[in-house]
Amino acid sequence: MKRPHTKLTIGVLAAGFALFAGSALVSGAGAADTGTVLVPIVPVRILDTRAGDSPIFTLGADESATVSFADAVPAGTRAVDINVTTTGGTEPSFLAVFPTGVDRPITSAVNWNGPTSQANSIAVKLGTDSEVDIYNAFGNVDVVIDLMGYYVDSTVGAAAQAGPTPETGPTGPTGPTGPKGDTGAAGATGATGPQGIPGPAGADGADGEDGAPGADGADGADGAPGADGAPGAPGAPGADGAEGPAGPSGLSDVVVVSDTHTNNGEGWNKIVICPIGKTVISGGASGTSRIHLQSSNPSGNGWSASGDRSSSDNGSTTETLTVYAICATVDE
């Protein structure tokens, strides 16, 4: 009976993102859009279906699950660079990894022909709500996903390398206003007109007519305006803003160096070294069906891996271990 599609939301299992100078092999189910740049990080485990506290467990035949990277990468991330490992497969099968919200492609990210662990590093676009879907075709299998880096628009990457613009200093204070000029003196009051002549003695003469009122005095001239006050001194210029931090180192000339180790003995060990002038930034390993991969790690300026023969193999066949290193020139 087919189990229902499972949706898995995963947070980051280690606090923060630590930048790591490098790039990852872009292959498998999907790739970053033109105009994006890769931001590598210290690898973070996103999913392990074998863990007791995993939200989902072993994938059955024709079963898929949704893995969310929304809590593991910044907003605006276009794609992720991941390492996908399958282990404990009960039948020959393949795992497809693709953006959520699109039809499942016919391509595979990892193939296996038995319970031996198989790993592959791929870049895949994020789909709806920063999610990807994983699909198992046949039998049962456990899946491990490690996040190696993420892709953002190139303009976002350029902005991360530039420091903030220094702040402009404050404007100096305005000088005080000059004093107001004095008001002109008031004009003098006009003189009083003369008294009328008294009438002759005897009968009372008629009252003399009132003298005409004196004319008003002329207005005094306006006083001269006071001189303007001296302008205030300019304010001191503001201090320059702090210099922004330097952006991360850039990468160029990414190459993949690989080598194989073939025998029918009990142990396989192989190391590949980056060319002179280049720095190892990632790597990986894969083996034929009867090799059990024991380790795959950076080693000096290269990548090393080791494995042993499956217990079901009697040593009659020749097996091959392939190791590869991803190298790049780090631009200061």
Side-chain angles (χ1 to χ4, degrees), residues 47-50 59 84-87 95 134 141-145:
L47 171 65
D48 187 343
T49 60
R50 301 168 300 178
L59 287 180
V84 182
T85 303
T86 58
T87 186
L95 189 78
I134 57 176
V141 72
D142 282 305
V143 180
V144 179
I145 297 178

Side-chain angles (χ1 to χ4, degrees), residues 178-200:
K180 185 177 181 181
D182 297 333
T183 305
T189 302
T192 302
Q195 187 177 356
I197 301 172

Side-chain angles (χ1 to χ4, degrees), residues 51-248:
D53 58 352
S54 176
I56 63 171
F57 298 100
T58 304
L59 287 180
D62 194 29
E63 183 176 331
S64 62
T66 298
V67 181
S68 173
F69 288 83
D71 293 335
V73 296
T77 296
R78 305 291 297 279
V80 289
D81 185 15
I82 57 177
N83 192 69
V84 182
T85 303
T86 58
T87 186
T90 60
E91 295 183 27
S93 183
F94 67 90
L95 189 78
V97 182
F98 54 96
T100 300
V102 303
D103 292 337
R104 174 166 56 85
I106 62 173
T107 58
S108 66
V110 186
N111 298 275
W112 61 92
N113 190 27
T116 303
S117 298
Q118 301 293 329
N120 193 20
S121 180
I122 66 171
V124 57
K125 286 183 64 174
L126 294 179
T128 305
D129 297 329
S130 298
E131 297 171 341
V132 300
D133 286 350
I134 57 176
Y135 168 82
N136 171 44
F138 308 107
N140 298 328
V141 72
D142 282 305
V143 180
V144 179
I145 297 178
D146 296 325
L147 178 65
M148 313 297 288
Y150 55 89
Y151 292 84
V152 293
D153 290 337
S154 57
T155 54
V156 176
Q161 298 178 16
T165 303
E167 298 179 357
T168 302
T171 304
T174 304
T177 304
K180 185 177 181 181
D182 297 333
T183 305
T189 302
T192 302
Q195 187 177 356
I197 301 172
D204 292 333
D207 293 337
E209 294 180 357
D210 294 332
D216 294 334
D219 294 337
D222 294 334
D228 293 335
D240 294 339
E243 183 177 352

Side-chain angles (χ1 to χ4, degrees), residues 128-319:
T128 305
D129 297 329
S130 298
E131 297 171 341
V132 300
D133 286 350
I134 57 176
Y135 168 82
N136 171 44
F138 308 107
N140 298 328
V141 72
D142 282 305
V143 180
V144 179
I145 297 178
D146 296 325
L147 178 65
M148 313 297 288
Y150 55 89
Y151 292 84
V152 293
D153 290 337
S154 57
T155 54
V156 176
Q161 298 178 16
T165 303
E167 298 179 357
T168 302
T171 304
T174 304
T177 304
K180 185 177 181 181
D182 297 333
T183 305
T189 302
T192 302
Q195 187 177 356
I197 301 172
D204 292 333
D207 293 337
E209 294 180 357
D210 294 332
D216 294 334
D219 294 337
D222 294 334
D228 293 335
D240 294 339
E243 183 177 352
S249 301
L251 302 175
S252 60
D253 300 330
V254 178
V255 298
V256 178
V257 180
S258 64
D259 202 355
T260 59
H261 179 74
T262 302
N263 65 33
N264 59 358
E266 293 298 327
W268 286 261
N269 295 278
K270 193 66 183 178
I271 182 172
V272 291
I273 304 299
C274 289
I276 296 175
K278 295 186 180 296
T279 301
V280 62
I281 47 84
S282 190
S286 63
T288 49
S289 61
R290 293 182 176 84
I291 290 181
H292 175 242
L293 191 63
Q294 294 179 311
S295 66
S296 177
N297 303 291
S299 178
N301 196 30
W303 198 272
S304 67
S306 63
D308 59 11
R309 186 183 296 276
S310 172
S311 60
S312 62
D313 188 0
N314 57 13
S316 62
T317 60
T318 298
E319 304 296 337

Side-chain angles (χ1 to χ4, degrees), residues 15-33:
F17 294 103
L19 290 178
F20 176 70
S23 174
L25 182 63
V26 178
S27 65
D33 291 342

